[in-house]
Amino acid sequence: MHELGITQNIVAIVSEHAHGSKVKRVLLEIGKLSAIMPDAIRFCFDICSQGTVLEKAKLEILEISGLGKCRQCDAEIPLEQPFGECQCGSKYIDLIAGQELKIKEIEIEEICV
Ligand SMILES: [Zn+2]
């Protein structure tokens, strides 16, 4: 399960950004073609966040649909897998969305001084 390593990375990056403050919410973008299972990330997040500033933070995951662009006719093609065929018959499709794994937003608890 490679999601565990990915989640550990996410927790490490977010912790660094938080500078010791409590994290309230994390928004991730995960492409549907990235072979990363959002449910597995959620499961790992509960484990990895324990004892860190991310503990009890809300994890939101935005799934990004796959999208390709035909090299021949420039048509955009929705993709369910990281390959496909354009209506024009071309198989030369560049992936333009669906493979991302991004930390989109981090919400940190404000500390009243
Ligand atoms: Zn085409």
Side-chain angles (χ1 to χ4, degrees), residues 70 72-75 77 86-90:
C70 176
Q72 228 157 300
C73 70
D74 269 356
I77 310 141
C86 179
Q87 284 181 330
C88 74
S90 164

Side-chain angles (χ1 to χ4, degrees), residues 7-98:
T7 311
Q8 281 169 335
N9 273 335
I10 292 167
V11 168
I13 294 164
V14 175
S15 301
E16 206 169 292
H17 277 269
H19 296 293
S21 303
K22 273 290 236 179
V23 177
K24 276 205 298 195
R25 191 176 66 98
V26 179
L27 176 65
L28 298 180
E29 263 186 8
I30 297 178
K32 285 185 180 167
L33 306 181
S34 65
I36 299 165
M37 307 297 290
D39 283 347
I41 297 282
R42 280 195 188 93
F43 177 77
C44 295
F45 185 81
D46 283 345
I47 300 164
C48 293
S49 64
Q50 275 175 33
T52 74
V53 292
L54 282 82
E55 196 172 339
K56 298 201 173 72
K58 196 163 176 252
L59 179 69
E60 287 174 13
I61 294 175
L62 202 66
E63 286 186 75
I64 308 296
S65 297
L67 192 66
K69 193 173 190 157
C70 176
R71 271 187 215 172
Q72 228 157 300
C73 70
D74 269 356
E76 288 189 355
I77 310 141
L79 296 172
E80 293 295 324
Q81 63 278 319
F83 50 85
E85 200 180 316
C86 179
Q87 284 181 330
C88 74
S90 164
K91 286 193 170 79
Y92 295 102
I93 293 166
D94 290 320
L95 291 176
I96 54 176

